[in-house]
Amino acid sequence: MKSMKIWPAAMELALLLGLLVAGGCGRGDQASKQPPPREPETTPDVQAKIPEVVVKVRPSHEHAAFRERVAERTAMVSKQIAQRAFAQPVKDQKVLEAMRMVPRHVFVPQRYQGQAYADRPLQIGYGQTISQPYIVGYMTELLELDEESKVLEIGTGSGYQAAVAAELAGRVYSIEIIKALGESGRRRLKELGYKNVQVKVADGYYGWPEKGPFEAIIVTAASSHIPGPLIEQLKPGGRLVIPLGSAWRAQELVLLSKGADGTITSRGVMGVRFVPMVGKAQE
Ligand code: SAH
């Protein structure tokens, strides 16, 4: 089995160090741009607020990795995600198809290749993990993405969740606080041909105001509270998913919705265990 050589030796070393830190992330308890629109006859002030046009740049799927380990991916989706004992299965066919498509093994370090399609999170170095496939599917389904969606992800990690979102959404903006992970995630996504994903290294607490507002925001690290800037950058009608709770303890996956009139509603959907959101969130 041949896979992409995008796990440099430094990442392997970091991974080894990361092994000392126990825990999992994202585990269940159980463009090409179109020309800008013609300027309408409005005042300059209003023109300045015309939102970015979201145009779907379909992943080409030309990379050989998309044709590797297909049977394992198909089995992963049908046995762990589309069917699930003691938890809600993922029903959205588009999400299931996206997960059948994305070559998860490319996002998993060499030493864990054998478990790339297993029902569990895996270490990716720096004490971080790639989430359990089921959780990725479940969170993606909650976002209700379509080709018009602009998505913000906090916690790029391996880039796997960003790739799944990129299969469904128009554009994905992903922020990672650990430079080496952000850079390797960006490189991996680019090599696989995801032209509709942009990764930046920063503290995701502040969101990415220049690119917002977003139809969907997904936070893949646990925080004690929902960062205010993320709520602000959520479009009316938009949805935000975040694990809330303290590090390594019981956390709850929360779905927040912003109504057309800006009203916020939220509900807990599942018990989860994610790595902590660091930086400003912990002050
Ligand atoms: N979505 C990832 C898994 C995320 S693990 C995947 O599919 O592989 C959580 C990630 O969030 C880690 O990489 C961690 O470094 C990152 N993170 C933690 N706090 C953050 C913050 N304040 N801003 C951005 N990223 C953060």
PDB file of all heavy atoms in Angstrom, residues 25-26 107 124-126 128-131 136 153-162 174-178 181 202-205 220-221 274-281, ligand 1:
ATOM      1  N   CYS A  25      -9.164  13.171  20.506  1.00  0.00           N
ATOM      2  CA  CYS A  25      -9.860  14.365  20.073  1.00  0.00           C
ATOM      3  C   CYS A  25     -11.013  13.941  19.207  1.00  0.00           C
ATOM      4  O   CYS A  25     -10.864  13.098  18.354  1.00  0.00           O
ATOM      5  CB  CYS A  25      -8.886  15.238  19.301  1.00  0.00           C
ATOM      6  SG  CYS A  25      -9.633  16.467  18.271  1.00  0.00           S
ATOM      7  N   GLY A  26     -12.121  14.517  19.443  1.00  0.00           N
ATOM      8  CA  GLY A  26     -13.253  14.246  18.589  1.00  0.00           C
ATOM      9  C   GLY A  26     -13.697  12.812  18.697  1.00  0.00           C
ATOM     10  O   GLY A  26     -13.743  12.095  17.721  1.00  0.00           O
ATOM     11  N   PHE A 107      -4.177  11.448   5.866  1.00  0.00           N
ATOM     12  CA  PHE A 107      -4.153  12.385   6.990  1.00  0.00           C
ATOM     13  C   PHE A 107      -3.623  11.727   8.268  1.00  0.00           C
ATOM     14  O   PHE A 107      -3.565  12.357   9.318  1.00  0.00           O
ATOM     15  CB  PHE A 107      -5.571  12.930   7.226  1.00  0.00           C
ATOM     16  CG  PHE A 107      -6.107  13.710   6.041  1.00  0.00           C
ATOM     17  CD1 PHE A 107      -6.712  13.063   4.972  1.00  0.00           C
ATOM     18  CD2 PHE A 107      -5.952  15.092   5.983  1.00  0.00           C
ATOM     19  CE1 PHE A 107      -7.188  13.772   3.883  1.00  0.00           C
ATOM     20  CE2 PHE A 107      -6.422  15.811   4.890  1.00  0.00           C
ATOM     21  CZ  PHE A 107      -7.039  15.149   3.835  1.00  0.00           C
ATOM     22  N   ILE A 124      -1.684  12.650  15.926  1.00  0.00           N
ATOM     23  CA  ILE A 124      -1.042  13.252  14.748  1.00  0.00           C
ATOM     24  C   ILE A 124       0.184  14.088  15.123  1.00  0.00           C
ATOM     25  O   ILE A 124       0.736  14.811  14.297  1.00  0.00           O
ATOM     26  CB  ILE A 124      -2.033  14.136  13.939  1.00  0.00           C
ATOM     27  CG1 ILE A 124      -2.677  15.209  14.829  1.00  0.00           C
ATOM     28  CG2 ILE A 124      -3.104  13.265  13.282  1.00  0.00           C
ATOM     29  CD1 ILE A 124      -3.461  16.270  14.048  1.00  0.00           C
ATOM     30  N   GLY A 125       0.612  13.976  16.401  1.00  0.00           N
ATOM     31  CA  GLY A 125       1.770  14.741  16.843  1.00  0.00           C
ATOM     32  C   GLY A 125       1.353  15.982  17.618  1.00  0.00           C
ATOM     33  O   GLY A 125       0.200  16.406  17.561  1.00  0.00           O
ATOM     34  N   TYR A 126       2.309  16.542  18.386  1.00  0.00           N
ATOM     35  CA  TYR A 126       2.083  17.767  19.166  1.00  0.00           C
ATOM     36  C   TYR A 126       0.930  17.588  20.172  1.00  0.00           C
ATOM     37  O   TYR A 126       0.255  18.554  20.531  1.00  0.00           O
ATOM     38  CB  TYR A 126       1.805  18.968  18.241  1.00  0.00           C
ATOM     39  CG  TYR A 126       2.914  19.176  17.237  1.00  0.00           C
ATOM     40  CD1 TYR A 126       2.867  18.556  15.992  1.00  0.00           C
ATOM     41  CD2 TYR A 126       4.040  19.957  17.564  1.00  0.00           C
ATOM     42  CE1 TYR A 126       3.899  18.703  15.077  1.00  0.00           C
ATOM     43  CE2 TYR A 126       5.074  20.112  16.651  1.00  0.00           C
ATOM     44  CZ  TYR A 126       4.994  19.487  15.413  1.00  0.00           C
ATOM     45  OH  TYR A 126       6.019  19.641  14.524  1.00  0.00           O
ATOM     46  N   GLN A 128      -1.874  16.280  19.603  1.00  0.00           N
ATOM     47  CA  GLN A 128      -3.169  16.479  18.936  1.00  0.00           C
ATOM     48  C   GLN A 128      -3.602  15.200  18.227  1.00  0.00           C
ATOM     49  O   GLN A 128      -2.815  14.270  18.073  1.00  0.00           O
ATOM     50  CB  GLN A 128      -3.072  17.639  17.941  1.00  0.00           C
ATOM     51  CG  GLN A 128      -2.501  18.911  18.548  1.00  0.00           C
ATOM     52  CD  GLN A 128      -3.282  19.386  19.761  1.00  0.00           C
ATOM     53  OE1 GLN A 128      -4.507  19.247  19.825  1.00  0.00           O
ATOM     54  NE2 GLN A 128      -2.582  19.922  20.752  1.00  0.00           N
ATOM     55  N   THR A 129      -4.845  15.176  17.809  1.00  0.00           N
ATOM     56  CA  THR A 129      -5.370  13.968  17.156  1.00  0.00           C
ATOM     57  C   THR A 129      -6.264  14.302  15.970  1.00  0.00           C
ATOM     58  O   THR A 129      -6.810  15.399  15.882  1.00  0.00           O
ATOM     59  CB  THR A 129      -6.216  13.133  18.147  1.00  0.00           C
ATOM     60  OG1 THR A 129      -7.200  13.978  18.723  1.00  0.00           O
ATOM     61  CG2 THR A 129      -5.379  12.517  19.245  1.00  0.00           C
ATOM     62  N   ILE A 130      -6.384  13.334  15.082  1.00  0.00           N
ATOM     63  CA  ILE A 130      -7.398  13.389  14.027  1.00  0.00           C
ATOM     64  C   ILE A 130      -8.633  12.749  14.655  1.00  0.00           C
ATOM     65  O   ILE A 130      -8.537  11.697  15.297  1.00  0.00           O
ATOM     66  CB  ILE A 130      -6.925  12.650  12.746  1.00  0.00           C
ATOM     67  CG1 ILE A 130      -8.041  12.578  11.691  1.00  0.00           C
ATOM     68  CG2 ILE A 130      -6.401  11.251  13.019  1.00  0.00           C
ATOM     69  CD1 ILE A 130      -7.550  12.007  10.334  1.00  0.00           C
ATOM     70  N   SER A 131      -9.788  13.388  14.521  1.00  0.00           N
ATOM     71  CA  SER A 131     -10.994  12.918  15.197  1.00  0.00           C
ATOM     72  C   SER A 131     -11.467  11.563  14.683  1.00  0.00           C
ATOM     73  O   SER A 131     -11.150  11.156  13.566  1.00  0.00           O
ATOM     74  CB  SER A 131     -12.131  13.929  15.017  1.00  0.00           C
ATOM     75  OG  SER A 131     -11.736  15.207  15.451  1.00  0.00           O
ATOM     76  N   VAL A 136     -16.596  13.148  12.935  1.00  0.00           N
ATOM     77  CA  VAL A 136     -16.426  14.050  11.782  1.00  0.00           C
ATOM     78  C   VAL A 136     -17.726  14.054  10.952  1.00  0.00           C
ATOM     79  O   VAL A 136     -18.248  15.105  10.584  1.00  0.00           O
ATOM     80  CB  VAL A 136     -15.219  13.623  10.914  1.00  0.00           C
ATOM     81  CG1 VAL A 136     -15.163  14.427   9.614  1.00  0.00           C
ATOM     82  CG2 VAL A 136     -13.923  13.794  11.699  1.00  0.00           C
ATOM     83  N   GLU A 153     -13.482  26.638   9.997  1.00  0.00           N
ATOM     84  CA  GLU A 153     -13.123  25.576  10.938  1.00  0.00           C
ATOM     85  C   GLU A 153     -12.049  26.097  11.892  1.00  0.00           C
ATOM     86  O   GLU A 153     -11.090  26.715  11.445  1.00  0.00           O
ATOM     87  CB  GLU A 153     -12.572  24.344  10.205  1.00  0.00           C
ATOM     88  CG  GLU A 153     -12.158  23.247  11.196  1.00  0.00           C
ATOM     89  CD  GLU A 153     -11.350  22.102  10.588  1.00  0.00           C
ATOM     90  OE1 GLU A 153     -10.585  22.341   9.635  1.00  0.00           O
ATOM     91  OE2 GLU A 153     -11.462  20.978  11.075  1.00  0.00           O
ATOM     92  N   ILE A 154     -12.207  25.818  13.175  1.00  0.00           N
ATOM     93  CA  ILE A 154     -11.160  26.147  14.142  1.00  0.00           C
ATOM     94  C   ILE A 154     -10.522  24.827  14.558  1.00  0.00           C
ATOM     95  O   ILE A 154     -11.204  23.945  15.101  1.00  0.00           O
ATOM     96  CB  ILE A 154     -11.733  26.874  15.389  1.00  0.00           C
ATOM     97  CG1 ILE A 154     -12.616  28.069  14.991  1.00  0.00           C
ATOM     98  CG2 ILE A 154     -10.594  27.302  16.316  1.00  0.00           C
ATOM     99  CD1 ILE A 154     -11.982  29.088  14.094  1.00  0.00           C
ATOM    100  N   GLY A 155      -9.218  24.683  14.280  1.00  0.00           N
ATOM    101  CA  GLY A 155      -8.493  23.449  14.602  1.00  0.00           C
ATOM    102  C   GLY A 155      -8.298  22.583  13.368  1.00  0.00           C
ATOM    103  O   GLY A 155      -8.912  21.526  13.227  1.00  0.00           O
ATOM    104  N   THR A 156      -7.417  23.020  12.476  1.00  0.00           N
ATOM    105  CA  THR A 156      -7.164  22.281  11.227  1.00  0.00           C
ATOM    106  C   THR A 156      -6.632  20.882  11.513  1.00  0.00           C
ATOM    107  O   THR A 156      -7.022  19.924  10.838  1.00  0.00           O
ATOM    108  CB  THR A 156      -6.102  23.012  10.360  1.00  0.00           C
ATOM    109  OG1 THR A 156      -6.432  24.403  10.292  1.00  0.00           O
ATOM    110  CG2 THR A 156      -6.005  22.427   8.961  1.00  0.00           C
ATOM    111  N   GLY A 157      -5.740  20.769  12.496  1.00  0.00           N
ATOM    112  CA  GLY A 157      -5.123  19.472  12.815  1.00  0.00           C
ATOM    113  C   GLY A 157      -4.529  18.845  11.570  1.00  0.00           C
ATOM    114  O   GLY A 157      -3.694  19.439  10.888  1.00  0.00           O
ATOM    115  N   SER A 158      -4.980  17.646  11.252  1.00  0.00           N
ATOM    116  CA  SER A 158      -4.473  16.941  10.073  1.00  0.00           C
ATOM    117  C   SER A 158      -5.016  17.525   8.764  1.00  0.00           C
ATOM    118  O   SER A 158      -4.467  17.313   7.690  1.00  0.00           O
ATOM    119  CB  SER A 158      -4.894  15.473  10.139  1.00  0.00           C
ATOM    120  OG  SER A 158      -6.310  15.370   9.998  1.00  0.00           O
ATOM    121  N   GLY A 159      -6.172  18.202   8.864  1.00  0.00           N
ATOM    122  CA  GLY A 159      -6.832  18.726   7.657  1.00  0.00           C
ATOM    123  C   GLY A 159      -7.969  17.825   7.184  1.00  0.00           C
ATOM    124  O   GLY A 159      -8.675  18.154   6.227  1.00  0.00           O
ATOM    125  N   TYR A 160      -8.192  16.701   7.877  1.00  0.00           N
ATOM    126  CA  TYR A 160      -9.201  15.736   7.424  1.00  0.00           C
ATOM    127  C   TYR A 160     -10.624  16.321   7.452  1.00  0.00           C
ATOM    128  O   TYR A 160     -11.357  16.242   6.464  1.00  0.00           O
ATOM    129  CB  TYR A 160      -9.130  14.467   8.281  1.00  0.00           C
ATOM    130  CG  TYR A 160     -10.190  13.450   7.918  1.00  0.00           C
ATOM    131  CD1 TYR A 160     -10.169  12.810   6.685  1.00  0.00           C
ATOM    132  CD2 TYR A 160     -11.225  13.141   8.801  1.00  0.00           C
ATOM    133  CE1 TYR A 160     -11.145  11.884   6.339  1.00  0.00           C
ATOM    134  CE2 TYR A 160     -12.209  12.217   8.464  1.00  0.00           C
ATOM    135  CZ  TYR A 160     -12.165  11.594   7.239  1.00  0.00           C
ATOM    136  OH  TYR A 160     -13.136  10.696   6.900  1.00  0.00           O
ATOM    137  N   GLN A 161     -10.979  16.931   8.568  1.00  0.00           N
ATOM    138  CA  GLN A 161     -12.327  17.510   8.668  1.00  0.00           C
ATOM    139  C   GLN A 161     -12.522  18.599   7.596  1.00  0.00           C
ATOM    140  O   GLN A 161     -13.592  18.706   6.997  1.00  0.00           O
ATOM    141  CB  GLN A 161     -12.531  18.086  10.082  1.00  0.00           C
ATOM    142  CG  GLN A 161     -13.766  18.944  10.262  1.00  0.00           C
ATOM    143  CD  GLN A 161     -15.064  18.159  10.285  1.00  0.00           C
ATOM    144  OE1 GLN A 161     -15.362  17.451  11.237  1.00  0.00           O
ATOM    145  NE2 GLN A 161     -15.846  18.282   9.218  1.00  0.00           N
ATOM    146  N   ALA A 162     -11.466  19.367   7.357  1.00  0.00           N
ATOM    147  CA  ALA A 162     -11.545  20.430   6.335  1.00  0.00           C
ATOM    148  C   ALA A 162     -11.800  19.814   4.962  1.00  0.00           C
ATOM    149  O   ALA A 162     -12.580  20.345   4.159  1.00  0.00           O
ATOM    150  CB  ALA A 162     -10.259  21.254   6.334  1.00  0.00           C
ATOM    151  N   SER A 174      -9.845  27.430   7.338  1.00  0.00           N
ATOM    152  CA  SER A 174      -9.506  26.658   8.525  1.00  0.00           C
ATOM    153  C   SER A 174      -8.339  27.312   9.243  1.00  0.00           C
ATOM    154  O   SER A 174      -7.368  27.737   8.617  1.00  0.00           O
ATOM    155  CB  SER A 174      -9.172  25.217   8.117  1.00  0.00           C
ATOM    156  OG  SER A 174      -8.953  24.436   9.263  1.00  0.00           O
ATOM    157  N   ILE A 175      -8.431  27.386  10.565  1.00  0.00           N
ATOM    158  CA  ILE A 175      -7.388  28.036  11.370  1.00  0.00           C
ATOM    159  C   ILE A 175      -6.776  27.020  12.330  1.00  0.00           C
ATOM    160  O   ILE A 175      -7.497  26.282  13.006  1.00  0.00           O
ATOM    161  CB  ILE A 175      -7.960  29.216  12.182  1.00  0.00           C
ATOM    162  CG1 ILE A 175      -8.727  30.183  11.262  1.00  0.00           C
ATOM    163  CG2 ILE A 175      -6.845  29.942  12.928  1.00  0.00           C
ATOM    164  CD1 ILE A 175      -9.368  31.366  11.996  1.00  0.00           C
ATOM    165  N   GLU A 176      -5.451  26.998  12.382  1.00  0.00           N
ATOM    166  CA  GLU A 176      -4.728  26.092  13.287  1.00  0.00           C
ATOM    167  C   GLU A 176      -3.721  26.908  14.085  1.00  0.00           C
ATOM    168  O   GLU A 176      -2.994  27.720  13.529  1.00  0.00           O
ATOM    169  CB  GLU A 176      -4.025  24.995  12.467  1.00  0.00           C
ATOM    170  CG  GLU A 176      -3.065  24.123  13.242  1.00  0.00           C
ATOM    171  CD  GLU A 176      -3.692  23.407  14.447  1.00  0.00           C
ATOM    172  OE1 GLU A 176      -4.724  22.749  14.305  1.00  0.00           O
ATOM    173  OE2 GLU A 176      -3.120  23.537  15.556  1.00  0.00           O
ATOM    174  N   ILE A 177      -3.657  26.641  15.384  1.00  0.00           N
ATOM    175  CA  ILE A 177      -2.772  27.440  16.242  1.00  0.00           C
ATOM    176  C   ILE A 177      -1.336  26.896  16.250  1.00  0.00           C
ATOM    177  O   ILE A 177      -0.393  27.647  16.488  1.00  0.00           O
ATOM    178  CB  ILE A 177      -3.358  27.552  17.677  1.00  0.00           C
ATOM    179  CG1 ILE A 177      -2.797  28.778  18.403  1.00  0.00           C
ATOM    180  CG2 ILE A 177      -3.150  26.269  18.472  1.00  0.00           C
ATOM    181  CD1 ILE A 177      -3.596  29.208  19.630  1.00  0.00           C
ATOM    182  N   ILE A 178      -1.163  25.603  15.982  1.00  0.00           N
ATOM    183  CA  ILE A 178       0.195  25.031  15.966  1.00  0.00           C
ATOM    184  C   ILE A 178       0.735  25.122  14.538  1.00  0.00           C
ATOM    185  O   ILE A 178       0.214  24.493  13.609  1.00  0.00           O
ATOM    186  CB  ILE A 178       0.187  23.567  16.460  1.00  0.00           C
ATOM    187  CG1 ILE A 178      -0.292  23.512  17.918  1.00  0.00           C
ATOM    188  CG2 ILE A 178       1.577  22.932  16.325  1.00  0.00           C
ATOM    189  CD1 ILE A 178      -0.450  22.113  18.503  1.00  0.00           C
ATOM    190  N   LEU A 181       1.517  22.010  12.356  1.00  0.00           N
ATOM    191  CA  LEU A 181       0.306  21.289  11.928  1.00  0.00           C
ATOM    192  C   LEU A 181      -0.430  22.069  10.847  1.00  0.00           C
ATOM    193  O   LEU A 181      -0.884  21.501   9.851  1.00  0.00           O
ATOM    194  CB  LEU A 181      -0.627  21.041  13.118  1.00  0.00           C
ATOM    195  CG  LEU A 181      -0.245  19.937  14.099  1.00  0.00           C
ATOM    196  CD1 LEU A 181      -1.237  19.880  15.252  1.00  0.00           C
ATOM    197  CD2 LEU A 181      -0.164  18.580  13.402  1.00  0.00           C
ATOM    198  N   ALA A 202      -3.070  30.732  13.278  1.00  0.00           N
ATOM    199  CA  ALA A 202      -3.459  31.819  14.187  1.00  0.00           C
ATOM    200  C   ALA A 202      -4.293  31.219  15.313  1.00  0.00           C
ATOM    201  O   ALA A 202      -4.604  30.028  15.300  1.00  0.00           O
ATOM    202  CB  ALA A 202      -4.304  32.857  13.440  1.00  0.00           C
ATOM    203  N   ASP A 203      -4.632  32.066  16.297  1.00  0.00           N
ATOM    204  CA  ASP A 203      -5.557  31.637  17.340  1.00  0.00           C
ATOM    205  C   ASP A 203      -6.978  31.773  16.783  1.00  0.00           C
ATOM    206  O   ASP A 203      -7.448  32.879  16.506  1.00  0.00           O
ATOM    207  CB  ASP A 203      -5.368  32.524  18.584  1.00  0.00           C
ATOM    208  CG  ASP A 203      -6.219  32.053  19.763  1.00  0.00           C
ATOM    209  OD1 ASP A 203      -7.175  31.269  19.543  1.00  0.00           O
ATOM    210  OD2 ASP A 203      -5.930  32.469  20.901  1.00  0.00           O
ATOM    211  N   GLY A 204      -7.647  30.653  16.639  1.00  0.00           N
ATOM    212  CA  GLY A 204      -8.980  30.638  16.042  1.00  0.00           C
ATOM    213  C   GLY A 204     -10.052  31.313  16.881  1.00  0.00           C
ATOM    214  O   GLY A 204     -11.172  31.510  16.408  1.00  0.00           O
ATOM    215  N   TYR A 205      -9.712  31.669  18.121  1.00  0.00           N
ATOM    216  CA  TYR A 205     -10.688  32.325  19.001  1.00  0.00           C
ATOM    217  C   TYR A 205     -11.289  33.554  18.328  1.00  0.00           C
ATOM    218  O   TYR A 205     -12.465  33.859  18.493  1.00  0.00           O
ATOM    219  CB  TYR A 205      -9.997  32.739  20.308  1.00  0.00           C
ATOM    220  CG  TYR A 205     -10.954  33.227  21.371  1.00  0.00           C
ATOM    221  CD1 TYR A 205     -11.450  32.354  22.332  1.00  0.00           C
ATOM    222  CD2 TYR A 205     -11.363  34.569  21.409  1.00  0.00           C
ATOM    223  CE1 TYR A 205     -12.338  32.790  23.302  1.00  0.00           C
ATOM    224  CE2 TYR A 205     -12.257  35.014  22.373  1.00  0.00           C
ATOM    225  CZ  TYR A 205     -12.737  34.124  23.318  1.00  0.00           C
ATOM    226  OH  TYR A 205     -13.618  34.562  24.272  1.00  0.00           O
ATOM    227  N   THR A 220     -13.193  22.331  16.444  1.00  0.00           N
ATOM    228  CA  THR A 220     -12.818  20.935  16.710  1.00  0.00           C
ATOM    229  C   THR A 220     -11.874  20.817  17.901  1.00  0.00           C
ATOM    230  O   THR A 220     -11.079  19.892  17.988  1.00  0.00           O
ATOM    231  CB  THR A 220     -12.229  20.258  15.447  1.00  0.00           C
ATOM    232  OG1 THR A 220     -11.018  20.911  15.093  1.00  0.00           O
ATOM    233  CG2 THR A 220     -13.182  20.326  14.272  1.00  0.00           C
ATOM    234  N   ALA A 221     -11.957  21.780  18.831  1.00  0.00           N
ATOM    235  CA  ALA A 221     -11.228  21.714  20.098  1.00  0.00           C
ATOM    236  C   ALA A 221     -12.194  22.239  21.156  1.00  0.00           C
ATOM    237  O   ALA A 221     -13.016  23.116  20.873  1.00  0.00           O
ATOM    238  CB  ALA A 221      -9.970  22.576  20.030  1.00  0.00           C
ATOM    239  N   PHE A 274     -12.812  16.014  23.337  1.00  0.00           N
ATOM    240  CA  PHE A 274     -11.901  16.695  22.403  1.00  0.00           C
ATOM    241  C   PHE A 274     -10.695  17.250  23.151  1.00  0.00           C
ATOM    242  O   PHE A 274     -10.764  17.488  24.366  1.00  0.00           O
ATOM    243  CB  PHE A 274     -12.617  17.884  21.741  1.00  0.00           C
ATOM    244  CG  PHE A 274     -13.442  17.512  20.529  1.00  0.00           C
ATOM    245  CD1 PHE A 274     -14.709  16.983  20.671  1.00  0.00           C
ATOM    246  CD2 PHE A 274     -12.941  17.690  19.254  1.00  0.00           C
ATOM    247  CE1 PHE A 274     -15.476  16.638  19.563  1.00  0.00           C
ATOM    248  CE2 PHE A 274     -13.704  17.349  18.135  1.00  0.00           C
ATOM    249  CZ  PHE A 274     -14.965  16.825  18.287  1.00  0.00           C
ATOM    250  N   VAL A 275      -9.620  17.492  22.426  1.00  0.00           N
ATOM    251  CA  VAL A 275      -8.470  18.192  23.013  1.00  0.00           C
ATOM    252  C   VAL A 275      -8.910  19.629  23.298  1.00  0.00           C
ATOM    253  O   VAL A 275      -9.833  20.131  22.669  1.00  0.00           O
ATOM    254  CB  VAL A 275      -7.237  18.188  22.063  1.00  0.00           C
ATOM    255  CG1 VAL A 275      -6.699  16.792  21.867  1.00  0.00           C
ATOM    256  CG2 VAL A 275      -7.565  18.840  20.726  1.00  0.00           C
ATOM    257  N   PRO A 276      -8.242  20.280  24.254  1.00  0.00           N
ATOM    258  CA  PRO A 276      -8.683  21.633  24.615  1.00  0.00           C
ATOM    259  C   PRO A 276      -8.328  22.689  23.556  1.00  0.00           C
ATOM    260  O   PRO A 276      -7.325  22.569  22.863  1.00  0.00           O
ATOM    261  CB  PRO A 276      -7.927  21.918  25.909  1.00  0.00           C
ATOM    262  CG  PRO A 276      -6.758  21.002  25.902  1.00  0.00           C
ATOM    263  CD  PRO A 276      -7.160  19.788  25.125  1.00  0.00           C
ATOM    264  N   MET A 277      -9.174  23.690  23.472  1.00  0.00           N
ATOM    265  CA  MET A 277      -8.856  24.864  22.675  1.00  0.00           C
ATOM    266  C   MET A 277      -7.900  25.696  23.538  1.00  0.00           C
ATOM    267  O   MET A 277      -8.214  25.994  24.692  1.00  0.00           O
ATOM    268  CB  MET A 277     -10.142  25.643  22.386  1.00  0.00           C
ATOM    269  CG  MET A 277      -9.947  26.811  21.464  1.00  0.00           C
ATOM    270  SD  MET A 277     -11.577  27.414  20.948  1.00  0.00           S
ATOM    271  CE  MET A 277     -11.079  28.780  19.931  1.00  0.00           C
ATOM    272  N   VAL A 278      -6.757  26.019  22.981  1.00  0.00           N
ATOM    273  CA  VAL A 278      -5.763  26.781  23.742  1.00  0.00           C
ATOM    274  C   VAL A 278      -5.754  28.235  23.271  1.00  0.00           C
ATOM    275  O   VAL A 278      -6.481  28.604  22.361  1.00  0.00           O
ATOM    276  CB  VAL A 278      -4.358  26.128  23.631  1.00  0.00           C
ATOM    277  CG1 VAL A 278      -4.375  24.717  24.195  1.00  0.00           C
ATOM    278  CG2 VAL A 278      -3.882  26.117  22.175  1.00  0.00           C
ATOM    279  N   GLY A 279      -4.897  29.046  23.904  1.00  0.00           N
ATOM    280  CA  GLY A 279      -4.814  30.459  23.537  1.00  0.00           C
ATOM    281  C   GLY A 279      -5.817  31.274  24.337  1.00  0.00           C
ATOM    282  O   GLY A 279      -6.094  30.993  25.500  1.00  0.00           O
ATOM    283  N   LYS A 280      -6.388  32.250  23.685  1.00  0.00           N
ATOM    284  CA  LYS A 280      -7.307  33.202  24.340  1.00  0.00           C
ATOM    285  C   LYS A 280      -8.454  32.490  25.083  1.00  0.00           C
ATOM    286  O   LYS A 280      -8.895  32.951  26.142  1.00  0.00           O
ATOM    287  CB  LYS A 280      -7.859  34.135  23.256  1.00  0.00           C
ATOM    288  CG  LYS A 280      -8.971  35.058  23.701  1.00  0.00           C
ATOM    289  CD  LYS A 280      -8.457  36.212  24.524  1.00  0.00           C
ATOM    290  CE  LYS A 280      -9.614  37.147  24.900  1.00  0.00           C
ATOM    291  NZ  LYS A 280      -9.216  38.032  26.012  1.00  0.00           N
ATOM    292  N   ALA A 281      -8.907  31.353  24.543  1.00  0.00           N
ATOM    293  CA  ALA A 281     -10.037  30.618  25.151  1.00  0.00           C
ATOM    294  C   ALA A 281      -9.731  30.228  26.595  1.00  0.00           C
ATOM    295  O   ALA A 281     -10.640  30.055  27.399  1.00  0.00           O
ATOM    296  CB  ALA A 281     -10.369  29.367  24.335  1.00  0.00           C
TER     297      ALA A 281
HETATM  298  N1  SAH B   1     -10.070  18.893  12.785  1.00  0.00           N
HETATM  299  C1  SAH B   1      -8.861  18.134  13.014  1.00  0.00           C
HETATM  300  C2  SAH B   1      -8.730  17.582  14.423  1.00  0.00           C
HETATM  301  C3  SAH B   1      -8.600  18.617  15.401  1.00  0.00           C
HETATM  302  S1  SAH B   1      -7.700  18.301  16.869  1.00  0.00           S
HETATM  303  C4  SAH B   1      -8.724  17.005  12.033  1.00  0.00           C
HETATM  304  O1  SAH B   1      -9.642  16.751  11.254  1.00  0.00           O
HETATM  305  O2  SAH B   1      -7.666  16.396  12.009  1.00  0.00           O
HETATM  306  C5  SAH B   1      -7.854  19.959  17.451  1.00  0.00           C
HETATM  307  C6  SAH B   1      -6.933  20.952  16.799  1.00  0.00           C
HETATM  308  O3  SAH B   1      -7.269  22.242  17.281  1.00  0.00           O
HETATM  309  C7  SAH B   1      -5.467  20.736  17.123  1.00  0.00           C
HETATM  310  O4  SAH B   1      -4.713  20.648  15.964  1.00  0.00           O
HETATM  311  C8  SAH B   1      -5.118  21.981  17.940  1.00  0.00           C
HETATM  312  O5  SAH B   1      -3.780  22.402  17.765  1.00  0.00           O
HETATM  313  C9  SAH B   1      -6.090  22.991  17.407  1.00  0.00           C
HETATM  314  N2  SAH B   1      -6.349  24.150  18.268  1.00  0.00           N
HETATM  315  C10 SAH B   1      -6.425  24.188  19.624  1.00  0.00           C
HETATM  316  N3  SAH B   1      -6.689  25.455  20.047  1.00  0.00           N
HETATM  317  C11 SAH B   1      -6.787  26.209  18.920  1.00  0.00           C
HETATM  318  C12 SAH B   1      -7.030  27.605  18.693  1.00  0.00           C
HETATM  319  N4  SAH B   1      -7.214  28.463  19.692  1.00  0.00           N
HETATM  320  N5  SAH B   1      -7.047  28.038  17.418  1.00  0.00           N
HETATM  321  C13 SAH B   1      -6.850  27.191  16.369  1.00  0.00           C
HETATM  322  N6  SAH B   1      -6.602  25.874  16.533  1.00  0.00           N
HETATM  323  C14 SAH B   1      -6.570  25.388  17.793  1.00  0.00           C
END
